[in-house]
Amino acid sequence: MAEDLLLDVAGVSKRFPGVQALKDVHFRLRPGSVHALCGGNGAGKSTFLNILMGIYPRDDGTIVVKGQEVRFATPRQAMDAGISIIQQELSSVLDLTVAENIYLGREPRQLGVFVSFPEMNRRAGALLERLNFEIDPSLKMRELSLAERQLVEIAKALSQDADIIVMDEPTSAIGEAEVERLFDTIRLLTSQGKGVVYVSHRLSEIFQIADSYTVFRDGQFVGDGLISEIDRKGLIQMILGVDMKDEFIKTNTPDDAVVLKIRDFSRRGQFQDISLDLRSGEILGIYGLMGSGRSEFFSCLFGIDQPDSGTVEISGKPVKIRKPSDAMDHGLALVTEDRKETGLVLTGSVRDNISMASLPSVCNFAFVNQRKEQSNVGRMVDFFRVRTPSTEQIVRNLSGGNQQKVVLGRWLLTEPEILLLDEPTRGIDVGSKREMYGFMSDFAKQGHGVIMISSEVPEVLGMSDRILVFRNGRMVGLIDRAEATQETLVHLAA
């Protein structure tokens, strides 16, 4: 019955100049349920959520919230109607504190005028403690890691006591332990009759937490149903519109030659005594919980930070990497975990972003050979099948999967021997993930080496030849592919 629904969306459409973003979509959310909104990049999910939150007006259709038809003109109206959102694109104000970010625009006041900072810190601290998020509410946001900022965004949305909570990629930047805490919170919310709209490219999470699903593809409603009545393969087929036989593409085979040898690598307070051998043709996975030192290890290996001790050999020769340009000169390339913060110049074009790391190769003295630059960029756009109207398109306007391809194109132009990939499939859809896996296998098959950090256990198990497990900055296990299981990895990392 419609009157039993928290949210009833029928026939909603939205057109932008030259693009039909949504056409006659439907969505229903019941009290006490988690409803997964599924679809690839460009499926219309973000447009739908922007309409729901009052950011875009709809052209057609109806939206009924708790029995009342609504037409929100601002996000404030949506919030007042009992809808909150955890956004995929973090909206933190970096120079404000954690508490100030959580209660921005809703600050507790004395005498109705003056902001009560002690009360705001107290409320924020109690909320974070209730969620089991170990974050000091008085810290400024810029002092936090990406994962900690994501947790603050989650706390901010949950502080609004909404009946409908939209979670758009809420786990994209947090680790396994934090995901479990979030899921515990979601179960508590639904037990109170609240409804959650859950958007994630991590299908394992959808099958773990959601009760029902709706699939959009190319801006249109494809179908919906109960999670208990569909399997992973069937959901992928609905999302892509084609039958995908194998989710992971793995065709590489390591040999005995060592392309990278690291011994006793340490940086005080971050990681200690890391030793590994990366073989030619190998994909070496690194798994660990948030704060285990994985990304910090990459930063030192690539010369962004400096280790306190340890040695590095590449193809049998000792090397000193004091800055990223040294790493590039020795054949290393790094795809960072946060492409928007550290991987891309979002206001730059596709051409600028792809060519920036290899500009010396297309320069004659102080001048850029633009024809050669454009040829190189076009080759990468074609190779990675970047969906863009032109190489002058601003990168911010691309989907997450295409942005990640731009980052890969930049590094491939440097002709690397070793790829360091930190969460390479974060925030991209299942189709783009499969393309990423194919690229990784092909790169390794050419005799190169890949080290991949991932928080997704199925991805680590599906793509790695060996798996290195980090815990509290230390290496606690190195497991061969044939012996690795989800239980083993989680046990070692916890």
Side-chain angles (χ1 to χ4, degrees):
M1 297 291 291
E3 55 267 25
D4 296 331
L5 297 172
L6 284 174
L7 177 64
D8 187 5
V9 178
V12 165
S13 298
K14 179 64 180 178
R15 183 174 182 81
F16 297 105
V19 178
Q20 184 74 47
L22 286 178
K23 184 178 181 181
D24 193 30
V25 299
H26 305 263
F27 188 90
R28 289 185 163 193
L29 177 67
R30 298 188 180 280
S33 71
V34 180
H35 194 120
L37 177 58
C38 307
N41 291 321
K45 304 187 304 296
S46 295
T47 300
F48 172 76
L49 296 181
N50 283 329
I51 290 172
L52 180 62
M53 293 304 301
I55 297 171
Y56 296 158
R58 63 184 183 270
D59 297 334
D60 297 297
T62 60
I63 297 178
V64 177
V65 175
K66 292 179 286 187
Q68 298 292 320
E69 184 172 350
V70 297
R71 185 178 287 273
F72 302 133
T74 65
R76 170 57 65 184
Q77 291 178 357
M79 291 169 60
D80 291 343
I83 306 175
S84 66
I85 186 168
I86 300 167
Q87 294 177 312
Q88 179 179 1
E89 306 300 334
L90 301 185
S91 56
S92 308
V93 183
L94 297 182
D95 287 320
L96 296 183
T97 67
V98 169
E100 289 167 339
N101 270 269
I102 291 175
Y103 291 102
L104 187 64
R106 302 176 294 120
E107 299 88 348
R109 296 182 181 272
Q110 295 176 321
L111 305 175
V113 178
F114 303 104
V115 175
S116 175
F117 290 99
E119 175 64 13
M120 184 163 57
N121 283 332
R122 186 194 68 76
R123 291 186 190 180
L127 173 65
L128 293 165
E129 183 176 357
R130 188 165 70 249
L131 296 173
N132 202 18
F133 296 166
E134 298 177 359
I135 301 173
D136 185 344
S138 65
L139 288 177
K140 287 193 174 182
M141 292 294 289
R142 69 170 60 257
E143 299 177 62
L144 305 184
S145 67
L146 176 65
E148 288 170 330
R149 293 177 195 174
Q150 180 77 70
L151 295 179
V152 173
E153 287 292 315
I154 292 170
K156 179 179 179 179
L158 298 182
S159 74
Q160 297 166 21
D161 196 29
D163 294 313
I164 300 170
I165 302 104
V166 179
M167 299 188 173
D168 189 4
E169 298 286 353
T171 64
S172 62
I174 62 178
E176 199 83 21
E178 290 70 32
V179 170
E180 284 304 317
R181 293 175 196 168
L182 174 62
F183 285 178
D184 287 342
T185 301
I186 289 174
R187 295 182 185 106
L188 177 62
L189 293 169
T190 54
S191 72
Q192 298 169 352
K194 300 180 186 297
V196 175
V197 180
Y198 196 88
V199 182
S200 178
H201 291 308
R202 296 180 175 181
L203 298 187
S204 57
E205 292 181 359
I206 289 173
F207 282 95
Q208 185 177 352
I209 195 63
D211 311 300
S212 52
Y213 68 91
T214 291
V215 176
F216 290 175
R217 186 171 67 241
D218 298 329
Q220 299 186 57
F221 173 85
V222 175
D224 57 12
L226 298 176
I227 287 291
S228 60
E229 296 176 353
I230 194 169
D231 60 14
R232 185 184 182 99
K233 182 178 179 181
L235 186 57
I236 291 174
Q237 186 170 346
M238 285 186 71
I239 291 170
L240 296 180
V242 296
D243 184 13
M244 190 173 76
K245 295 180 180 179
D246 298 308
E247 185 174 352
F248 299 103
I249 300 176
K250 184 161 181 63
T251 56
N252 63 294
T253 302
D255 59 36
D256 294 332
V258 175
V259 295
L260 176 67
K261 181 177 180 179
I262 297 172
R263 291 293 181 268
D264 304 321
F265 218 52
S266 300
R267 180 176 167 88
R268 193 173 299 108
Q270 294 184 345
F271 58 87
Q272 187 171 348
D273 297 330
I274 305 300
S275 297
L276 62 86
D277 290 338
L278 176 66
R279 296 174 294 181
S280 171
E282 181 178 31
I283 298 174
L284 176 65
I286 296 182
Y287 179 75
L289 303 182
M290 184 179 75
S292 62
R294 307 170 305 168
S295 296
E296 292 80 2
F297 167 66
F298 267 13
S299 290
C300 282
L301 183 55
F302 199 67
I304 297 171
D305 296 315
Q306 290 301 303
D308 297 319
S309 61
T311 60
V312 177
E313 292 183 12
I314 295 178
S315 298
K317 298 179 180 179
V319 298
K320 292 289 186 182
I321 300 175
R322 297 182 176 86
K323 53 186 182 296
S325 59
D326 293 339
M328 292 165 62
D329 289 342
H330 290 298
L332 270 66
L334 170 65
V335 175
T336 59
E337 63 175 330
D338 184 2
R339 60 178 171 267
K340 295 183 184 297
E341 187 76 17
T342 57
L344 293 166
V345 179
L346 292 176
T347 55
S349 67
V350 170
R351 176 177 56 82
D352 291 338
N353 274 274
I354 290 179
S355 66
M356 64 174 56
S358 57
L359 278 178
S361 68
V362 295
C363 286
N364 296 319
F365 301 102
F367 301 97
V368 175
N369 184 329
Q370 294 185 347
R371 180 177 296 180
K372 188 174 181 181
E373 178 194 19
Q374 187 59 49
S375 175
N376 287 344
V377 170
R379 186 157 46 89
M380 292 299 100
V381 168
D382 291 341
F383 180 81
F384 285 106
R385 291 186 287 186
V386 181
R387 294 183 63 182
T388 177
S390 82
T391 58
E392 298 307 313
Q393 173 69 277
I394 301 302
V395 164
R396 185 190 299 276
N397 297 330
L398 301 183
S399 69
N402 285 298
Q403 289 178 347
Q404 193 74 327
K405 291 176 183 179
V406 168
V407 177
L408 287 171
R410 173 200 303 156
W411 288 116
L412 195 59
L413 276 181
T414 67
E415 300 181 350
E417 296 294 327
I418 299 165
L419 268 180
L420 309 178
L421 304 177
D422 195 349
E423 303 286 3
T425 66
R426 171 174 288 162
I428 63 177
D429 64 35
V430 289
S432 297
K433 283 185 178 184
R434 196 165 186 268
E435 290 181 305
M436 176 69 72
Y437 300 146
F439 166 71
M440 290 166 58
S441 283
D442 287 344
F443 183 82
K445 279 174 66 176
Q446 296 170 28
H448 305 314
V450 178
I451 306 180
M452 175 191 70
I453 292 173
S454 178
S455 299
E456 295 191 49
V457 175
E459 182 172 84
V460 175
L461 294 173
M463 289 305 299
S464 304
D465 298 296
R466 292 181 299 155
I467 302 167
L468 180 64
V469 183
F470 273 42
R471 185 177 70 221
N472 297 327
R474 289 183 176 272
M475 191 175 115
V476 294
L478 182 61
I479 311 168
D480 286 332
R481 173 184 177 83
E483 300 171 356
T485 65
Q486 178 165 336
E487 292 75 17
T488 301
L489 295 187
V490 173
H491 173 73
L492 286 171

